[in-house]
Amino acid sequence: MGYTPITPFGRTAEAVLGSLRARQQVADAPCPIDKWQILRDLTTARKSFELADRDITLLQALLSFHPEARLDPAHSLVVHPSNETICARANGMPNSTMRRHLSRLVEAGLLIRRDSPNGKRYARRVAGEKIAFGFDLSPLLRRAAEIAERAEETRLLDARTRALRETASLLRRDLAALADLGRIELPEGPWDALSDLARLTARDLRRKLDLDTLEDIERKLRAAVLRATRLFDVETIEMSSSEAQNEQHQQKSQKDSLDSEQRADVSVAPLQDASTCDDQAPQFAEKPAAPPPPLRLVLGTCSEIAVFSPDPIHDWPSLIRAAEKIRPMTGISDSAWADAKAAMGPEQASATLCAMLQRFSEIRNPGGYLRHLTRKAREGTFSSNRMVLALDRRAA
């Protein structure tokens, strides 16, 4: 007989080690968790586990056989219903279908089969201890943190995809409206191509698209709206420069140098890229809801800004300066205006203020209204194009 070490308390060393292991297992065991919360998280993240809707339906039925509301590692987590009972509780699922979905749950590591020697599912007590054969739900408890993490990732991805789809839809509507307006005011422009892009994009957005496809659509639409806007703005600046040149011939003044500078800027503005455009072209925030509306459209539709501005407005910098001077008179605070410029860019913020001035009597709280639009701009669901075009339609 081998030597068995004894502790000073009369217990064998193996018994002490076994007790320590049991305590460690209890300490490492997960805390009880609401079984329905685990199911909700798994429903959200089911695609990352390669599960289908009917897999979740079957798991819901199995969870309903567990008598407690929470999965507790201190109690048995084995359920042992018959196939007929499972099918009945799974909304009448066929037996063959039920077995197939059970296999998928086991393969995904969310269930463990505890088979009895004869293959039956049952529970009995032996020496006061319950022994059950059936489906073990403990993997759900052990992987609850992983399931919750994947569910949160899925929610964030869904929110980003939804916001990107809304932004793309907004840009598409802006592009279609600008194309319609361009056919009337600038018939020589590429409005048919831009209108076709808006129409084809509307068809694409009716389908379920992944994030990469939506980002590509949003990029193309943003570039197209920017192109359409510049076509209007170049025409506006050229007309303004021509008027200034005619005035220069009639009266010699100190405006000679300013007019020449404007004409020099106009000559290069159409050739610049959006990331390198100068003060004559719109400057954008990091992620604007949409490019600002055409300057020509703003000046033609929002005439109130010119009434309150002592200086002529003929380009974006002069419009921004006018908005900066008029903004304090509207009751909009410095912080609200700074937030709007940060979210929209100074051009779109100024265009928004012009549109607000045009219907100022209808706005009870200009500061609160601008903050609301700023929040929408950060979410990518606001475009001052819509405000200006709506005013244009109202005037018509």
Side-chain angles (χ1 to χ4, degrees):
M1 180 180 292
Y3 171 71
T4 302
I6 304 295
T7 68
F9 301 100
R11 300 171 64 191
T12 64
E14 287 154 348
V16 172
L17 289 174
S19 177
L20 290 174
R21 289 193 195 98
R23 291 180 184 178
Q24 185 63 38
Q25 288 174 356
V26 172
D28 293 340
C31 298
I33 300 177
D34 183 356
K35 63 183 181 181
W36 302 121
Q37 182 58 51
I38 298 176
L39 183 68
R40 285 191 291 270
D41 289 341
L42 188 59
T43 301
T44 301
R46 65 185 181 277
K47 290 184 180 178
S48 66
F49 288 92
E50 298 182 353
L51 297 176
D53 294 345
R54 303 202 76 182
D55 298 328
I56 300 298
T57 300
L58 182 61
L59 182 59
Q60 180 179 3
L62 291 175
L63 282 172
S64 69
F65 290 106
H66 182 67
E68 304 297 331
R70 304 201 301 176
L71 300 182
D72 190 341
H75 300 92
S76 174
L77 297 179
V78 178
V79 295
H80 42 84
S82 65
N83 286 354
E84 291 75 17
T85 309
I86 296 174
C87 291
R89 199 163 289 191
N91 303 323
M93 183 180 292
N95 202 307
S96 58
T97 304
M98 182 271 296
R99 289 197 298 269
R100 185 170 67 253
H101 291 302
L102 272 177
S103 298
R104 293 183 64 172
L105 291 171
V106 172
E107 290 171 4
L110 300 172
L111 284 180
I112 297 177
R113 292 181 185 270
R114 303 290 186 191
D115 293 329
S116 65
N118 62 3
K120 300 293 184 179
R121 300 180 204 127
Y122 60 88
R124 64 177 53 171
R125 291 193 175 275
V126 178
E129 183 179 354
K130 182 180 178 180
I131 299 177
F133 299 97
F135 301 105
D136 191 347
L137 303 173
S138 59
L140 289 173
L141 186 59
R142 288 197 301 271
R143 301 182 67 180
E146 176 195 355
I147 293 170
E149 183 179 353
R150 292 204 199 180
E152 183 61 24
E153 292 174 355
T154 302
R155 292 186 190 101
L156 292 174
L157 179 62
D158 289 345
R160 186 180 173 192
T161 303
R162 187 164 53 252
L164 196 58
R165 178 180 286 274
E166 290 176 358
T167 301
S169 179
L170 189 73
L171 289 168
R172 184 204 66 77
R173 293 196 299 270
D174 284 352
L175 183 61
L178 289 173
D180 291 341
L181 185 65
R183 287 193 182 97
I184 298 172
E185 299 197 4
L186 300 171
E188 70 281 1
W191 308 116
D192 287 342
L194 296 178
S195 181
D196 288 344
L197 175 61
R199 179 173 52 80
L200 293 174
T201 302
R203 185 188 63 185
D204 292 338
L205 289 175
R206 285 196 290 268
R207 297 184 289 112
K208 190 171 184 179
L209 304 174
D210 57 31
L211 189 64
D212 291 338
T213 304
L214 283 171
E215 286 177 344
D216 184 57
I217 289 175
E218 189 262 355
R219 258 192 317 269
K220 291 179 180 178
L221 288 173
R222 191 177 295 276
V225 171
L226 181 59
R227 180 186 179 192
T229 301
R230 284 181 171 178
L231 288 172
F232 281 99
D233 285 350
V234 168
E235 179 73 12
T236 303
I237 296 173
E238 287 178 349
M239 290 173 61
S240 176
S241 299
S242 177
E243 291 173 1
Q245 191 174 10
N246 292 336
E247 187 176 338
Q248 176 186 3
H249 287 304
Q250 295 175 4
Q251 52 179 354
K252 300 295 181 179
S253 67
Q254 294 180 353
K255 292 184 180 179
D256 294 346
S257 59
L258 295 175
D259 289 338
S260 62
E261 288 176 5
Q262 289 175 3
R263 286 193 297 273
D265 288 339
V266 171
S267 64
V268 297
L271 303 178
Q272 292 175 330
D273 185 74
S275 60
T276 59
C277 54
D278 61 12
D279 290 340
Q280 295 292 339
Q283 303 290 326
F284 301 110
E286 183 179 353
K287 181 75 174 178
L295 178 63
R296 178 178 182 176
L297 186 61
V298 176
L299 297 179
T301 303
C302 306
S303 57
E304 289 295 317
I305 188 76
V307 175
F308 293 99
S309 177
D311 302 320
I313 300 174
H314 46 73
D315 55 14
W316 278 110
S318 60
L319 180 64
I320 293 172
R321 286 194 297 271
E324 293 282 358
K325 291 179 181 178
I326 295 170
R327 188 269 310 168
M329 308 176 194
T330 64
I332 296 173
S333 65
D334 294 345
S335 61
W337 183 242
D339 289 345
K341 289 191 292 183
M344 305 178 188
E347 287 78 15
Q348 184 158 205
S350 300
T352 301
L353 183 61
C354 290
M356 290 174 61
L357 280 175
Q358 202 65 22
R359 47 189 290 264
F360 198 71
S361 60
E362 304 173 20
I363 302 175
R364 293 184 180 179
N365 183 355
Y369 183 57
L370 183 61
R371 286 191 183 278
H372 170 69
L373 298 180
T374 300
R375 284 194 297 271
K376 293 183 66 176
R378 287 199 183 98
E379 296 167 0
T381 58
F382 169 72
S383 168
S384 56
N385 269 291
R386 308 300 300 168
M387 294 182 69
V388 176
L389 288 168
L391 290 173
D392 184 61
R393 286 194 297 270
R394 178 190 287 190

